């Protein structure tokens, strides 16, 4: 936890203090949807006014940074904008998304053809577009936004879109999710199963309604760009 606090809290607040001293008018903090929680259920969606429910040291540190920043701006004229994105993907994406693209690129069969979860994601270009918008939009001052591409997709849909973007065939075996969860539990891989099979949906309507912002890329376009970039690099 100390490392997360050092990077996500202390260094963020140090930067904010320097920004205040330099006369910066607006500070934009990219937090994380994990401040709200890891999963949503029953077609519910996280919204900006939810009570925080961080489930990891990383998420706790992001929440602490948000709280610290809000305390800081009370003593200054600097404005604060907080953005909580879900998984951000695009050219050069790492971690689990990169691994998933690697499996798809190899044409390996996957037992994920019947997953009916719903997940919100955010294309890198859409995040950049939104940050560009809130830099100067007066309506964004001291607001908190949850941000996504707007259209949620299942893991099965994601895999098919990745395959399509790579010009590959998607070999997806339709095994029910409850069977996959049972197997994952036996193998001690419940956390990985939750990420593949669970839902995480975001209500990002505030960004569109308050700021009249629209993401330049659809989720289909964003995934196609990420998939093609992966093929060029591999």
């Amino acid at each position: 936890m100390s490392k997360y606090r050092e990077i996500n809290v202390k260094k963020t607040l140090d930067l904010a203090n320097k920004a205040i001293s330099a006369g910066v008018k607006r500070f934009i903090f990219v937090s994380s949807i994990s401040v709200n929680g890891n999963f949503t259920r029953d077609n519910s969606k996280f919204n900006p006014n939810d009570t925080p429910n961080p489930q990891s040291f990383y998420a706790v540190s992001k929440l602490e940074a948000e709280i610290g920043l809000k305390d800081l701006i009370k003593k200054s004229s600097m404005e604060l904008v907080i953005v909580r994105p879900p998984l951000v993907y695009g050219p050069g994406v790492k971690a689990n998304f990169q691994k998933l693209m690697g499996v798809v690129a190899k044409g390996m069969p996957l037992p994920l053809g019947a997953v009916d979860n719903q997940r919100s994601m955010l294309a890198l270009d859409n995040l950049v577009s939104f940050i560009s918008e809130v830099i100067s939009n007066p309506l964004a001052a001291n607001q908190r936004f949850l941000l996504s591409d707007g259209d949620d997709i299942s893991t099965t849909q994601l895999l098919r879109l990745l395959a399509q973007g790579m010009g590959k065939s998607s070999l997806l075996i339709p095994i029910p999710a409850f069977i996959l969860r049972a197997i994952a539990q036996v193998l001690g891989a419940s956390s990985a199963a939750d990420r593949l099979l669970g839902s995480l949906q975001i209500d990002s309507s505030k960004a569109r309604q308050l700021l009249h912002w629209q993401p330049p890329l659809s989720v289909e376009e964003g995934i196609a760009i990420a998939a093609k970039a992966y093929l060029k690099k591999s």
Side-chain angles (χ1 to χ4, degrees), residues 83 121-135 137 139-140 145-150 204-218:
V83 183
M121 301 192 303
L122 181 64
L124 178 59
D125 285 354
N126 290 342
L127 175 60
V128 172
S129 168
F130 186 74
I131 290 174
S132 298
E133 176 68 29
V134 299
I135 285 174
N137 192 319
L139 296 175
F145 297 95
L146 307 191
L147 200 63
S148 75
D149 292 330
S204 59
S205 60
K206 179 178 178 180
R208 293 160 176 76
Q209 293 171 1
L210 180 63
L211 306 183
H212 305 293
W213 172 83
Q214 292 294 329
L217 295 181
S218 67

Side-chain angles (χ1 to χ4, degrees), residues 6 9-27 69 72-73 76 78:
E6 174 68 23
V9 184
K10 184 178 182 301
K11 290 189 181 299
T12 297
L13 297 183
D14 286 347
L15 180 61
N17 271 312
K18 290 176 182 177
I20 290 170
S21 298
V24 171
K25 295 181 180 180
R26 180 172 294 181
F27 192 93
L69 287 169
L72 269 183
I73 65 165
S76 75
M78 187 172 72

Side-chain angles (χ1 to χ4, degrees), residues 138-211:
L139 296 175
N142 301 317
Q143 296 290 332
R144 178 170 60 239
F145 297 95
L146 307 191
L147 200 63
S148 75
D149 292 330
D151 292 319
D152 301 337
I153 60 174
S154 69
T155 299
T156 299
Q157 290 172 310
L158 169 60
L159 291 166
R160 286 176 178 154
L161 288 171
L162 285 172
Q164 182 179 319
M166 295 179 185
K168 305 282 185 179
S169 297
S170 54
L171 303 174
L172 302 177
I173 304 166
I175 297 178
F178 75 90
I179 294 178
L180 295 176
R181 286 188 182 277
I183 295 172
Q185 188 171 11
V186 171
L187 297 176
S190 293
S191 295
D194 285 340
R195 288 191 294 272
L196 284 171
L197 307 175
S199 293
L200 193 158
Q201 293 185 268
I202 291 173
D203 180 356
S204 59
S205 60
K206 179 178 178 180
R208 293 160 176 76
Q209 293 171 1
L210 180 63
L211 306 183

